[in-house]
Amino acid sequence: TRVENGSGSAEEPEYLRLSLREFLNLFATADPAPAGGSAAALAVSLAAGLCAKAARLSRRQLPDAAELAAVAEALRDRAASLSQADAAGYGRVISAQRSSRELDPFDRRRRIDAALLEAAETPTEIAELGAKVGDLAAHVAEDGNPNLLGDVVTAALLAEAGVASASALVMINLEGMPGDARLARVSIAVARSTSSAARAQRVLQR
């Protein structure tokens, strides 16, 4: 299934309707997207899914296990949807770069910068979602079913990787724009996810 992207240019696949094999194959093509941002969103989504599983199987240890599972599933679904949104944003950057070749240098730079500013929003959200998933993974690792420890440690590490990757993309998109508040937001997300991953891994050493 294919849908028009937000820029109205080339069609892009509707990722969540593809088989896993089809989706993964897209990352290896020569097409601009899906790329790093979609992969970061996928990592966060997988991490959230593992948290939902571990919470659901921690009813004896966690009185709010059902609520935690529901939160994790909401985070999973939102992160998964951002794999498409990031590809669409990146597509608009590519479109701006190509369509502005005939403009004077100032107007060309302004159009590309506008697309980059917009494209930075999705990886910022991915990073912040990943930080929330990391917090959840650390909590379940510390207080949940010990038989699911491997799953939530994996979740914490996947979330950390997704946050770090999304943060890097934000920094690339906002290069030369040091005052943009999203740089501080992703920095906070990175610190949170790093701390959460460390908390989860410390449980292994008990």
Side-chain angles (χ1 to χ4, degrees):
T1 303
R2 301 178 79 83
V3 294
E4 292 286 341
N5 68 19
S7 65
S9 59
E11 291 186 346
E12 289 180 350
E14 192 169 31
Y15 299 143
L16 298 184
R17 294 186 181 180
L18 299 174
S19 71
L20 179 59
R21 181 181 295 277
E22 289 171 328
F23 189 24
L24 294 178
N25 282 344
L26 288 176
F27 284 95
T29 68
D31 295 332
S38 296
L42 181 59
V44 171
S45 183
L46 289 170
L50 287 171
C51 288
K53 177 190 292 292
R56 191 164 280 116
L57 294 172
S58 296
R59 291 189 180 93
R60 292 183 180 179
Q61 295 83 6
L62 297 170
D64 57 347
E67 179 183 346
L68 292 173
V71 170
E73 287 186 340
L75 291 169
R76 178 202 62 192
D77 292 346
R78 180 56 185 165
S81 73
L82 293 180
S83 64
Q84 186 83 51
D86 184 81
Y90 186 45
R92 287 189 285 272
V93 173
I94 298 298
S95 178
Q97 291 171 335
R98 292 174 177 170
S99 65
S100 60
R101 288 173 181 167
E102 304 303 319
L103 299 175
D104 69 72
F106 177 80
D107 286 340
R108 182 174 191 274
R109 186 69 258 170
R110 184 176 60 180
R111 183 173 296 186
I112 293 171
D113 284 348
L116 288 168
L117 282 167
E118 182 182 1
E121 188 60 34
T122 298
T124 299
E125 185 176 354
I126 293 169
E128 291 181 329
L129 287 172
K132 292 178 182 178
V133 173
D135 290 344
L136 183 56
H139 172 49
V140 179
E142 292 168 339
D143 300 320
N145 186 340
N147 293 324
L148 279 295
L149 180 58
D151 296 302
V152 283
V153 169
T154 298
L157 293 171
L158 280 172
E160 181 185 27
V163 172
S165 301
S167 175
L169 296 174
V170 173
M171 289 188 286
I172 290 169
N173 286 342
L174 299 180
E175 184 179 3
M177 307 175 197
D180 195 292
R182 287 169 291 188
L183 293 169
R185 288 165 59 188
V186 296
S187 178
I188 292 170
V190 167
R192 282 180 60 189
S193 65
T194 299
S195 174
S196 295
R199 284 172 54 198
Q201 289 182 92
R202 277 197 294 271
V203 181
L204 295 172
Q205 302 168 3
R206 289 180 180 175

